[in-house]
Every structure is written in C-alpha cells, then in structure tokens.
Amino acid sequence: MTEQVNMTQAPAQRVKKRKIASLDRRKARSGWFFVLPFVIGFIVLYIPILFESIKSSFYIYKLGENTKEFVGWTNYSIALFEEADFVQTLLTGLGEMAFNIPVILIFSLFVAVILNQKMIGRAVFRAIFFLPVVVSTGMMESLMNSSYAAGGEHLDTGAAESATEAVASSMAVEQLLTSVFEGLGFGVGLVEYIVSAVESISSIINRSGVQILIFLASLQSISPAIYESCQIDGATSWETFWKITFPMVSPMILVNGIYTIIDNFTTDSNSVMQEINRVYGSSAMGESTGQNVSSAMGWMYFAVVILVVGLLAAIMSAYVFYQRRD
Amino acid sequence: MDNQPVVKRESKKKIRVEFERTSLKERLKTKYLSAFFLKNTLWFIFRLLLLIGIAFVVIQPFITMIIRSVMAPQDFADDSVMQVPRNLSMVIYKGVIQDLSYFEFFAETFMFSLVCALLQTFACCLIGYGLAKFKFRGSKIVFLAVILTLVIPHGTLQTALFVHFRYFDVLGIFSFLSGNTGIGWIDNIMGILPKEPFTGGGFSLLGTWWPLILMSATGLAFKNGLYIFMLRQFFRGVPDELEESAYLDGAGTFRTFVQVILPLSIPMMITVFLFAFCWQWTDDFYVPLFFDTLKTAERPALMYYITDTTKINSSLIFTAAKEIATAKGEGGFSVAIKYCCGLMACTPLVILYLFCQRYLVQGIERSGIVG
C-alpha cells in the first residue's frame, strides 16, 4: 500500500506567501476612491452626530439657558420609570409590529403571485399597487385619514375612510367573518386576528407596495421550466405553490421581513415614534427637558429594534432554503 | 373507426382529403363544458374581482379627492349632494394657483428635489460600485456603516442634526481659523462639544439648501442606505469580464465605470432616482428640521403650503367662495381646499411615476437582490 502523501501541507510550505500583485493593489485603492464620498460624509457628518446624540442622552441641555450638566442615567430612568407612557408605548409598538408583519408579508406574497400570472391589465394593476409608496407620506396620510367632523353630517369621514372603513368596520361584516371562521373550527384568538386584519386592509394595502415589488421580481426569476415539469407530473396548483414557489421565495421572505420591520420602526406614523416626537416637543419632564428624554427614548428604542431584527434574522435564516447554484 | 380519411385524386397533381370531423356541437361541448375550462373561468373572474377590489382601495382616496375638489361651493351647503357633485367649478384650483402661488413653489420644490435626487443617485451609484467590485480592506466595515445609517431611526438623531448644522464646523477647522472659540480645536474633533456649548465657532447652515445637499452628496440622506444596498447587489450581478475587457483596452477604473457600467444600469438608476425624488418631494422630517427658521411659506417643499392656513384664509378667491358655501358648508369646503392642495402637490409625482414605472420591476429584477 502506498503511503498517503499529505497534500494539504506541502504546497503551503513550498511556496512563500506572495505579495498582492500591483494591479490588485491598485484596484483595491481605487475602491477607496469610489467609496470616498460616503466615508468622508460618515466621518465628518454622521459619526459626530451619532456621538453627540448618544452623549446628549447622558446630559441635560437646556437650550434656553445654554447649560449642560452630566447626569448619567437620569434621562433613561425618567423615560423608563417616571414617564408612564414609554414602556407602554414600546410594548404596544412591538405588538403592532408582531401583528402587522405577518399580515403584510402574507398579503404581499399573495398579491405578487397573482400579479405574476399573465392577464389583461397586468401592467395597470402593478402600476396601481405600487402607487402608495410613491405618493404616500405623513401629510397625505393625515389628509386621507382625517375625519372631518366639524359640522356637515354628510361629510363625516375622510377620503379613505368613507368607503372602505365604513364597510369593513360595520358590524355586519364583522359578524359574518366571525361566524364563517368559527364555523371552520378556528380558535377565537385566530378569528379575532383575522377579522382585525381584514378591517385594517386599507392600511395594509398602502404599506405593502415595496414588498409586492420585491416578491414579484423574485417570482419572475423562477424559471417556468420548473412549473411545466410540475404540471406534467400532475401537481395541483396548491401543491406547486407550497413545494416550489414558497421555498424559492423564502430568501425574499427574510429580506422583506427585515425591510418591513425597519420600515415600520422608523416611519413616523409608528406609535413609538409619535411618542418620541411628542416628548421632543414637550418642555419639562421631571428633572430634564423633553428633548433630552426623547433622545434617551430614541436610543432605547433603537436597541430594541436591533434586538428584534437580529432575533428575526437568526430564526428565519435557519428556515430559508437557498437554491444552490452548482 | 369513424374518421377514416378518404383520399381522392382529383387530377394528376392534386389530391383531396375528406374526413369526417367531429361535429361542431361536440367540439364546443368538450371545449367549454369541461371542468378545466370552468375552473379557469372561475379563477379568472375571481382574480379580476379581487384585484379590482384591492385597486379600488388604493385609488379611492384619490377619486374622492378629485371629486371633492371640483365641487362648486354651493354644493357643500347642499345636504342632498353626497358624492356626485351637482355643479362643477374650478374655483379651488384657481385659488390655489393664483393666491397660493402654486407655480413658484412648484418650481422651487422641483429644483430642490431634482438636485438632491440626482446627487443621491450618483453618490449611491459610486458607493455601491465601490462596495460591490473592489475588495479593499475596509469594505465590510463600510458596508456595515451603510446598514447602520439605514437602521437608526432619524428621530433619534433629530437634536444632534439640528445642532450640528446650526454650528457647522468641519472637524473644528472653521472655528480654529476664525479663532472664534475659547476652546482649542482638539476638543472640536469628532464633534465633542466644548465645555461652553453654543458659543462654539462655525456658521449656521440652517435655512439654506446646504444641509440636505451635503447629506445627499455623501449618501447619508433619507434611506440612502437602501439605495446603496440595492445598487451593490445589482453591480455584483454585472459580470467581471466586462470590466476586465475595458481594463485591457486601457481604461482606468473611473472611466470603466462611466462608460461601461453606467449605461448597463440605467433601469436601476431610474428606479433609485424615482425613489429619491419622490421621497425628497414628500419629505416631512428633514425639511421642517432644517428649514425651521423659515416660515412655512418659504420652504422648498410643496407639501407644506397645504398647512399654511394663514395664506388660505387671506386669499380673496377663497373667501369669496366661502361666502357661497355658507356657514354650513364651510367645513367641507376647507377640507376640499386641503384635498385640492394635496392633489396639486402629488400630481407631479404621479406623472413622473407613470413614466418610470415600467423600469421599476425591471430594475429590481435585474438588481440581483432576487435570484
């Protein structure tokens, strides 16, 4: 029997480590040149702002009196313990998020699958569904959802609410849905969840534009040959969806999930952000002013966001199916 | 066998084949009375209804806004008019254009958003390309920094942004040069505030376009991290061979970028430009923050004169129209004015979007985020 030559060691010992070829090094240096605007901006603008913001959450500034005193964790303790609202709002925000994210993901996947099929008017529908992303903003949302109730009985809801909310939150629809789902044998909690999801359909539709787009693009990258072979083998469309489509878009579910969480967390209509803005505007709060407390609240909120995103990414990465390209 | 074809020879070079075809009735029956066809039709109808329903939910606010904004003032006082206006009048539009000086605002907002969006697009393309194609030592760190700018909610940085641009000072150089502060410039490095805040040097950039222009040019503006991420994924999908062939022909890296890579990525750039333009146009965080000192009416943001009630109240056309609406309809009429303002502010975006929307799916699909 011939001796087994240990091939793993010999090459490394034989050849000295070579320096990077000068073309590579030149290329690496020009990489810095491309990234230069960001690096400059980050160092000159962003890091000082980050620094100041973190530091200022440990201080009390009174803008009127131009003083600054170091108070350590006071701002944080005011936010957590003395102000009753913050922890409450944080939990509500997390609850909202836990509710909205699955609904948005499921809905946008469903719509993307439908929009992917060939039909008349497909381009028109795609254009319409993506419109809220482009147009919708804080002001437009408040315009669309404002309920005008000052006099004039016949104009008593805002533009968006007048048709959909009036129908969706009417008692009849709620009872109908509840009875249907209870008849199917779902538990009460799930039924309530579904009913409240249907009622807030307007806000869900308006917030899933980008997710629909990403899912759509991902669906288009699945080659039709796979579907054809499934059809030849006699799979129903239900089976095709769960066995083929769903695993192949699962990386996108992760991406969309993270994007939705970040979007939800940083948009101003989130309840926690509104709370932070409100505190920012208020003048005196315990020992320190509203601005300092709001900055402390902002940082705690950010820590919670990072935690949640990290958790979600870790959990979902385990389940994601990556198609190996051999 | 029923359908044996009968071949007849008509002449030397022509033959005629006759065969019995299944009757029309049977053919139609098998085609249209089958479960397959029925299932497809039902699905078609169901899908169409579903999509129309969802599209209605999206479009309906706009329809209401359009209808309400062309209603004549006397209709607001009229109880019997609900959704369909009885008299049409363009008085609100006239008022907005004349008294609220729509076109001046429009021009200013358009220029501002255009400049910022173009800067953001180019900056993000440069940065995305650098992160995608070059392996230099700090690229992972820079990428993490990009993600960090995306994740941190801008509300937490509100005060710091304001103060930083109020006393704008690059690494303490300006106050050092002007000798304006009692503290040495070492303390001003990295923005560590001097012991006496607000007497530091530097100059105020608030109320000008500069804060947002600086942030756009460096890829730090609103959601630029997302654009950089998308562009990085896209450039990763561009084959290396293209660049290498350009290098072989003697082009430097920047020239390769401009002449080879950019023309390939036009759909993606249009997507990023569309996003940047729209989000800058409808911006409701940075503009109030940086233009705080200016009155609402002077900010380069079309959205803000919606809330400028003083101007609305002082407008002659509107007061005349409100007379017609009488007290009962006045509330509805004010809301209609707001609707009209909102429409006028959003219509340019919708038009731009309609032009660019076919690039959107194309851009994302080729961006390599997917697949």
Side-chain angles (χ1 to χ4, degrees), chain B residues 112-122 216 272-273 276-277 280:
Chain B
F112 185 57
S113 303
L114 192 73
V115 169
C116 283
L118 283 174
L119 277 175
Q120 284 180 30
T121 319
F122 285 125
S216 305
V272 172
F273 175 76
F277 188 82
Q280 182 55 50

Side-chain angles (χ1 to χ4, degrees), chain B residues 4-120:
Chain B
Q4 251 336 337
V6 175
V7 179
K8 291 202 216 140
R9 182 170 282 270
E10 279 188 351
S11 67
K12 211 166 183 204
K13 294 195 177 155
K14 217 158 108 172
I15 60 172
R16 187 183 158 94
V17 177
E18 285 175 1
F19 52 92
E20 226 177 278
R21 235 182 134 180
T22 41
S23 65
L24 184 68
K25 197 163 140 199
E26 266 187 52
R27 264 184 281 148
L28 287 180
K29 217 163 54 161
T30 42
K31 190 169 177 196
Y32 293 116
L33 277 180
S34 57
F36 176 75
F37 180 74
L38 221 56
K39 193 175 80 132
N40 274 3
T41 321
L42 281 177
W43 172 243
F44 179 80
I45 295 178
F46 170 72
R47 187 179 61 187
L48 205 63
L49 286 178
L50 187 71
L51 285 178
I52 291 183
I54 301 180
F56 177 74
V57 172
V58 172
I59 296 270
Q60 190 258 344
F62 295 103
I63 296 184
T64 317
M65 285 166 73
I66 295 178
I67 291 185
R68 286 277 154 77
S69 62
V70 291
M71 273 167 98
Q74 53 262 35
D75 278 345
F76 291 103
D78 196 350
D79 261 342
S80 60
V81 175
M82 298 277 258
Q83 292 281 18
V84 178
R86 208 169 271 170
N87 312 318
L88 295 177
S89 101
M90 302 292 283
V91 67
I92 305 186
Y93 286 95
K94 226 171 29 161
V96 166
I97 293 181
Q98 285 182 358
D99 283 343
L100 292 176
S101 43
Y102 173 73
F103 283 114
E104 297 162 14
F105 270 111
F106 178 81
E108 194 177 348
T109 317
F110 186 77
M111 285 309 299
F112 185 57
S113 303
L114 192 73
V115 169
C116 283
L118 283 174
L119 277 175
Q120 284 180 30

Side-chain angles (χ1 to χ4, degrees), chain A residues 152-181:
Chain A
E153 298 89 354
H154 65 280
L155 281 182
D156 57 13
T157 47
E161 291 191 3
S162 56
T164 39
E165 297 278 336
V167 170
S169 39
S170 68
M171 286 302 291
V173 173
E174 211 174 302
Q175 282 173 0
L176 175 68
L177 278 174
T178 322
S179 61
V180 163
F181 283 116

